[in-house]
Amino acid sequence: QVQLVESGGGSVEPGGSLKISCTGSGFSFRDYVMSWYRQPPGQNLEMVAVLSSAGGRPTYAGFARGRFTASINVAHNMMYLQMNNLRPEDTAKYYCNAFDGTSSDFRGQGTQVTVST
């Protein structure tokens, strides 16, 4: 059974930092395109970063570039998202997503990140 579990979310003040993690089981990150998505309250799901299991540089959404750093540990089926200089508009539920390029596309239950004073 394939599964993704996010962790590490929480509340932080504007300007603060947070690192969230994702653990996969039942499949190998090597066989999937792994990515981070988020869904702000009342808004649609949006891509945050797409990672390469081959070790290439991640691709970031504009709002994430320069503030967020995504990384992946393929050997341990884990990925991370380091978020710095957080803003209130970064408040969202963050998901890790796995896509095999064809029909297998799934995500975890998400972890909530809240940025407020």
Side-chain angles (χ1 to χ4, degrees), residues 8-59:
S11 295
V12 63
E13 293 187 350
S17 297
L18 205 60
K19 185 174 184 177
I20 59 177
S21 303
C22 171
T23 302
S25 59
F27 72 104
S28 174
F29 280 16
R30 298 181 196 278
D31 300 326
Y32 285 73
V33 175
M34 301 303 299
S35 53
W36 285 102
Y37 281 77
R38 72 181 189 183
Q39 187 166 25
Q43 298 184 41
N44 293 330
L45 202 64
E46 57 186 6
M47 186 273 285
V48 178
V50 180
L51 295 92
S52 169
S53 61
R57 298 173 70 175
T59 299

Side-chain angles (χ1 to χ4, degrees), residues 15-113:
S17 297
L18 205 60
K19 185 174 184 177
I20 59 177
S21 303
C22 171
T23 302
S25 59
F27 72 104
S28 174
F29 280 16
R30 298 181 196 278
D31 300 326
Y32 285 73
V33 175
M34 301 303 299
S35 53
W36 285 102
Y37 281 77
R38 72 181 189 183
Q39 187 166 25
Q43 298 184 41
N44 293 330
L45 202 64
E46 57 186 6
M47 186 273 285
V48 178
V50 180
L51 295 92
S52 169
S53 61
R57 298 173 70 175
T59 299
Y60 296 99
F63 64 79
R65 209 168 292 130
R67 299 189 301 129
F68 293 6
T69 301
S71 58
I72 189 168
N73 184 329
V74 174
H76 290 92
N77 254 27
M78 294 196 69
M79 55 194 273
Y80 308 92
L81 185 66
Q82 173 69 47
M83 301 179 287
N84 298 327
N85 192 20
L86 283 161
R87 306 164 180 165
E89 54 265 37
D90 294 318
T91 294
K93 200 160 194 179
Y94 285 72
Y95 300 87
C96 55
N97 192 91
F99 177 50
D100 73 349
T102 56
S103 60
S104 182
D105 189 357
F106 56 95
R107 66 180 66 96
Q109 294 298 305
T111 186
Q112 179 67 38
V113 172

